[in-house]
Amino acid sequence: MKLKFRLARQGDVAQMQALWAQAFGDDGEFIQQFFRLAFSFSRCCVAEVEDGLAAMAHWLPCACGDKPLAYLYAVATRADCRGRGYATALLAFAEDTLRLRGVPGLVLVPGSPGLFNFYGKLGFSPCCPQATIEAQAGSKAVALTAANPAQYALTRRTLLPPGGVEQTGICLDFQASLTPLYTGENLAVAAAPQPDGTIFAPELLCPQPAEIAPGILRTLGAARGVFRTPDPGGTPFAMFKPLAGWSDPAPAYFGFAFD
């Protein structure tokens, strides 16, 4: 098949949404939320063959220190087009596009352990180690205040570890549609109830997360929960690729993968 790379355009949306559902199995509500809150034609590229879109790659803006980053997200290839190198070629096109825009680094979160090897062959290195804390509700509640994305961003900035990636604006708008955001004294947490009554927190930022997590569960009325938190000795969560103009170490923490 003849392959063409380009930025997405209006007529691609239905095909992109169908490809998303096929590749990731997400429900229609989640997909619609992304396209309503976080999607931009200027931040999505596609690979096109004669009968339609073969692959897509989106990205969202973030930053580490004073340098902008692009978070590559929802990279997917149509089922009948897999195994032909289309995703690799599309990511090279996305990289060239972002380099021309002056973006000095790319970050992504592999969707499975095996994808660390795939992206490693494309020049990405593991980074941003995290710990996953499984906790039970404690006897003492922790004071939490529901926060909007702007409020959460202000508190989050004070709690990010050195080298942490800032995710603001549309990133937090989208995250807030997936999980409620809370702040407290030296504390920021995104935490959502699950169908089984537990809590899943894709981010907990505070000085002593293992000690604080049980109190968060007590406040939110859940018996058990799982919390992700920065941990220099933890498991790499993301991968990073420097482009032109990046001379700093790789980012040390990346919080929201929108999973």
Side-chain angles (χ1 to χ4, degrees):
M1 295 185 186
K2 185 178 179 180
L3 193 62
K4 181 173 72 172
F5 303 106
R6 57 173 174 79
L7 289 175
R9 56 194 183 213
Q10 185 66 46
D12 298 328
V13 172
Q15 289 187 73
M16 287 191 291
Q17 292 177 340
L19 174 54
W20 190 307
Q22 180 193 75
F24 305 115
D26 292 320
D27 60 33
E29 181 179 355
F30 178 90
I31 297 170
Q32 291 296 329
Q33 282 178 188
F34 174 81
F35 277 85
R36 184 175 71 254
L37 296 173
F39 171 75
S40 170
F41 292 105
S42 66
R43 290 186 280 99
C44 176
C45 58
V46 298
E48 185 178 37
V49 292
E50 288 89 340
D51 63 346
L53 300 188
M56 66 179 181
H58 303 260
W59 59 86
L60 292 96
C62 50
C64 188
D66 61 352
K67 292 184 172 63
L69 292 175
Y71 169 41
L72 294 174
Y73 182 62
V75 179
T77 304
R78 207 172 72 194
D80 63 322
C81 294
R82 292 172 189 164
R84 302 178 185 179
Y86 290 178
T88 298
L90 180 61
L91 286 170
F93 175 80
E95 182 178 319
D96 288 343
T97 300
L98 289 161
R99 186 183 290 107
L100 289 172
R101 295 181 183 182
V103 176
L106 311 176
V107 64
L108 56 81
V109 177
S112 65
L115 287 175
F116 276 87
N117 291 329
F118 170 76
Y119 288 114
K121 294 176 182 177
L122 302 183
F124 288 83
S125 299
C127 67
C128 303
Q130 292 190 8
T132 300
I133 299 171
E134 297 185 7
Q136 295 184 340
S139 58
K140 185 177 180 181
V142 169
L144 296 176
T145 300
N148 63 36
Q151 293 166 336
Y152 189 87
L154 288 174
T155 300
R156 184 179 192 269
R157 185 174 295 119
T158 69
L159 296 168
L160 277 177
V165 174
E166 288 198 41
Q167 295 172 278
T168 58
I170 59 172
C171 291
L172 283 183
D173 289 342
F174 183 42
Q175 186 63 47
S177 76
L178 307 176
T179 55
L181 306 176
Y182 301 95
T183 59
E185 185 177 359
N186 294 321
L187 166 66
V189 62
Q194 303 301 296
D196 63 359
T198 63
I199 289 290
F200 171 61
E203 178 170 84
L204 170 58
L205 298 176
C206 64
Q208 296 178 309
E211 287 73 16
I212 294 297
I216 293 174
L217 293 173
R218 173 61 61 187
T219 301
L220 298 180
R224 294 179 294 112
V226 175
F227 299 79
R228 290 181 187 154
T229 191
D231 182 354
T235 302
F237 180 67
M239 301 188 79
F240 175 70
K241 183 173 183 176
L243 303 180
W246 187 277
S247 57
D248 297 334
Y253 171 71
F254 186 80
F256 293 124
F258 313 123
D259 55 344

